[in-house]
Amino acid sequence: MSIPVAVAQQPHKIEIRGTVIDSTGKPVSGASVHLGQQGSPDVVATTTPEGIFAFEDLQYGTYLIKAEKNGLTSRAVTCPASARAIPEPINLILEPSDVAPANAGATSPSSAEAMAFADQPNFTVAGVTDWTAVGGHGSDASLRTSEALTRETLTLKPEGSTPNLSASSGSATIDASESRLRAAVASAPQSFEANHQLGKFYFHAGKYRESIPPLQTAYQIDPANHGNEYDLALAYRGAGDFAQARDHIQKLLATADSADLHRLLGELDEKLDDPLAAVHEDEQAARLDPSEENYFAWGSELLLHRAVWQAAAVFRNGVKAYPKSARMLTALGTALFAGALYDEAALRLCDASDLNPADPEPYIFMGKIEMAAPAPLPCVEQKLARFVQQQPENALANYFYAMAIWKRQEQLSSPEVIQQVETLLTKAVTIDAQCSDAYLQLGILYFTRRDFDKAISFYKKAIEANPQMGDAHYRLGVAYDRTGEAAKAQQEFQLHDEIEKSQAADIERQRREVKQFLVVLQKQPADPSVH
């Protein structure tokens, strides 16, 4: 993110607008939207049939906005408005007023209680469509951040998960075990047990392709052995043969309905470019077993295919069922950010960081949304300060905390704060010489001081660490222009344009490869004011 040069405050008027929606993403007509500011009475607007509200001719300041209708209310959203932070459209979600905070309670409900949402989802994924306009709201910078965080969300692991260490024993032991198992197969090639054990040995050693022949032989000897067929399906998955893996999982499901099999089938459907089948399998898994893993898989599949509001609904219910799941809270924060609910997204990520303050992932997510959001977010700076305190030698901790401090400043007028920012950024590049973002921000800092030589030096270091950083090339060009080096400036501007064009093409290609879900909402009680 680029921090602009300070701008003089002017008595301009601004507008705050947005949309009121229900928990399924459906616009709500006739909702009352309250706009408050300390020392002044609330101003109230009513939403249009499309759920839209607008407040015009407002002075710069910080406002608090919330909506209500028929006993439902939204969370209050803080909206700073200044020359440096022009408000983007806001989405307010109406919910029952007695909804508990996301981190309320210390225990998970019983399976029957957690089942309530999975049994009766208020939406159905009815199809897919090619990319036309990516779901979610906000600027292109916010959208790119949202897409990147979605990809990172898919890789989040449950707390306490550890990699498979079965192949980490000494090589002599492995060789002896392999020799013994191979000898058993050689002496009895039609032995189910010998082939099965050799296949399992290779599978647990991560040698998926080697595990397939003995497991396949065991399957041919005894196709009714479901444990062996399941191992064979996992081996095919590990080897990248997703079609064969899916065939075997479907055969297993024909004999026994299992949440784990549905979730695995959903994963394979996604890899075989059938997201519609995948999301239905994930939903069925959550119906059969509303576990943390099944909630997460279902919500992640919805989020990946830009069913943002539905993903948020699933994650929100997952958080209620598993309030101690940091990855569920992190995923909910990602979904809320995708819907431009920046303040609530920040709060959920802050909650996630409180569950395990030593885990860097929630801090990294909140640092990224802080940089992409149009205004400073609640609780983020405080949590990032803790991140630095706990992990002082983490380059990203220093970088994100520096950026949060800098963003809070309406103008670059406090030498003490700017010195703190510089110290943190300098430490970040000292820890990690490839931290290109920190080099770029140091260049911006020195450019604002009109120290163009140092700015040029830092921009060059940013480019050296990441030659594809278009913003660094552009700013280097501006710095060269200020020092009278027009030819060098033009060269950097040209490089910037080429990089931006190439990256924009890559992003559009990636977006077109992601099929979007078509979601049908369940019929709700007749209410002529709701559309």
Side-chain angles (χ1 to χ4, degrees):
M1 183 187 84
S2 303
I3 303 296
V5 180
V7 291
Q9 296 284 345
Q10 300 293 335
H12 297 313
K13 299 291 182 73
I14 54 96
E15 176 184 68
I16 295 176
R17 62 171 47 246
T19 305
V20 176
I21 59 177
D22 63 21
S23 61
T24 69
K26 185 177 181 180
V28 178
S29 171
S32 298
V33 183
H34 296 257
L35 179 78
Q37 190 176 34
Q38 188 172 5
S40 303
D42 284 5
V43 179
V44 181
T46 302
T47 56
T48 68
E50 293 76 27
I52 296 172
F53 66 87
F55 297 95
E56 301 176 342
D57 296 328
L58 300 174
Q59 299 285 351
Y60 290 159
T62 299
Y63 295 88
L64 195 67
I65 305 173
K66 68 176 182 178
E68 60 183 13
K69 182 181 179 181
N70 296 339
L72 303 179
T73 185
S74 74
R75 288 178 170 82
V77 174
T78 302
C79 182
S82 69
R84 185 171 167 270
I86 303 301
E88 293 189 8
I90 295 170
N91 281 320
L92 301 174
I93 301 178
L94 291 182
E95 298 176 306
S97 58
D98 59 351
V99 170
N103 60 347
T107 60
S108 299
S110 67
S111 293
E113 292 172 317
M115 195 71 157
F117 179 76
D119 274 342
Q120 298 181 336
N122 52 10
F123 62 88
T124 300
V125 179
V128 294
T129 182
D130 291 334
W131 183 91
T132 52
V134 176
H137 303 271
S139 66
D140 185 60
S142 296
L143 181 56
R144 291 190 184 192
T145 299
S146 171
E147 291 167 332
L149 290 180
T150 293
R151 292 190 292 271
E152 292 177 30
T153 296
L154 301 180
T155 68
L156 293 175
K157 303 298 182 186
E159 186 175 358
S161 63
T162 56
N164 186 348
L165 302 178
S166 59
S168 62
S169 56
S171 59
T173 302
I174 291 175
D175 291 343
S177 298
E178 181 179 3
S179 298
R180 177 177 53 79
L181 292 169
R182 288 176 64 86
V185 170
S187 64
Q190 292 304 308
S191 166
F192 169 85
E193 187 63 22
N195 282 281
H196 178 67
Q197 291 299 326
L198 179 60
K200 283 186 66 175
F201 170 82
Y202 282 133
F203 177 82
H204 288 297
K207 299 180 178 181
Y208 303 116
R209 292 196 179 278
E210 290 92 331
S211 73
I212 291 172
L215 289 173
Q216 180 65 33
T217 299
Y219 172 69
Q220 291 168 348
I221 295 169
D222 183 5
N225 189 296
H226 296 163
N228 180 79
E229 187 170 15
Y230 183 71
D231 290 340
L232 178 59
L234 294 181
Y236 276 123
R237 181 188 67 168
D241 191 339
F242 304 123
Q244 286 274 20
R246 181 167 66 176
D247 286 346
H248 283 286
I249 294 300
Q250 288 172 335
K251 289 178 184 177
L252 288 168
L253 270 170
T255 62
D257 207 14
S258 159
D260 287 344
L261 291 177
H262 280 290
R263 187 182 66 252
L264 179 55
L265 184 55
E267 176 190 330
L268 296 168
D269 285 333
E270 172 61 36
K271 291 183 180 297
L272 289 167
D273 198 28
D274 190 356
L276 183 59
V279 75
H280 290 158
E281 295 297 338
D282 288 334
E283 179 179 346
Q284 182 63 12
R287 285 172 181 263
L288 292 172
D289 177 14
S291 65
E292 192 268 358
E293 188 170 9
N294 289 335
Y295 265 123
F296 185 83
W298 185 15
S300 297
E301 185 69 16
L302 290 163
L303 183 61
L304 175 63
H305 294 278
R306 305 306 296 178
V308 170
W309 305 116
Q310 290 71 36
V314 170
F315 287 134
R316 201 183 294 278
N317 280 272
V319 165
K320 290 175 185 176
Y322 301 96
K324 297 301 182 182
S325 171
R327 73 164 177 169
M328 196 75 73
L329 279 164
T330 301
L332 176 57
T334 299
L336 294 168
F337 179 80
L341 298 178
Y342 302 131
D343 284 11
E344 188 181 355
L347 291 171
R348 301 292 76 78
L349 290 169
C350 289
D351 290 342
S353 74
D354 288 342
L355 291 176
N356 181 9
D359 181 4
E361 284 179 330
Y363 299 112
I364 292 172
F365 274 64
M366 74 175 71
K368 290 180 178 179
I369 72 166
E370 169 76 6
M371 294 183 65
L377 299 174
C379 76
V380 167
E381 184 180 337
Q382 173 192 359
K383 304 303 182 185
L384 290 175
R386 182 177 67 190
F387 189 22
V388 171
Q389 183 180 18
Q390 290 205 337
Q391 301 184 33
E393 297 306 311
N394 186 314
L396 288 178
N398 286 273
Y399 169 67
F400 284 130
Y401 184 39
M403 300 311 296
I405 294 172
W406 199 352
K407 188 173 185 177
R408 173 170 44 86
Q409 299 302 302
E410 283 296 325
Q411 292 184 320
L412 307 183
S413 56
S414 171
E416 295 81 7
V417 169
I418 297 306
Q419 181 58 54
Q420 184 183 11
V421 170
E422 182 179 358
T423 299
L424 288 164
L425 291 174
T426 301
K427 185 170 184 179
V429 298
T430 301
I431 296 168
D432 180 6
Q434 299 303 308
C435 192
S436 57
D437 291 323
Y439 283 126
L440 173 65
Q441 297 302 331
L442 282 166
I444 293 171
L445 189 151
Y446 277 100
F447 187 90
T448 63
R449 296 173 176 170
R450 304 186 65 80
D451 190 338
F452 302 128
D453 288 339
K454 281 192 175 181
I456 287 171
S457 174
F458 281 117
Y459 291 147
K460 284 182 174 180
K461 289 181 178 179
I463 292 168
E464 182 180 347
N466 180 7
Q468 296 303 305
M469 181 176 271
D471 196 19
H473 284 285
Y474 180 81
R475 290 181 177 278
L476 179 56
V478 172
Y480 277 138
D481 186 65
R482 294 292 180 89
T483 57
E485 298 180 87
K488 289 184 177 180
Q490 186 58 38
Q491 182 180 7
E492 295 302 325
F493 291 145
Q494 183 176 347
L495 285 169
H496 164 266
D497 291 345
E498 292 172 355
I499 291 169
E500 288 296 307
K501 182 178 180 180
S502 174
Q503 290 179 347
D506 286 343
I507 288 171
E508 180 154 345
R509 174 184 53 76
Q510 292 170 8
R511 288 173 179 170
R512 290 188 180 278
E513 289 174 352
V514 176
K515 296 175 181 177
Q516 293 188 90
F517 285 143
L518 296 175
V519 178
V520 175
L521 304 181
Q522 286 186 347
K523 291 183 179 179
Q524 303 194 2
D527 182 348
S529 65
V530 177
H531 299 268

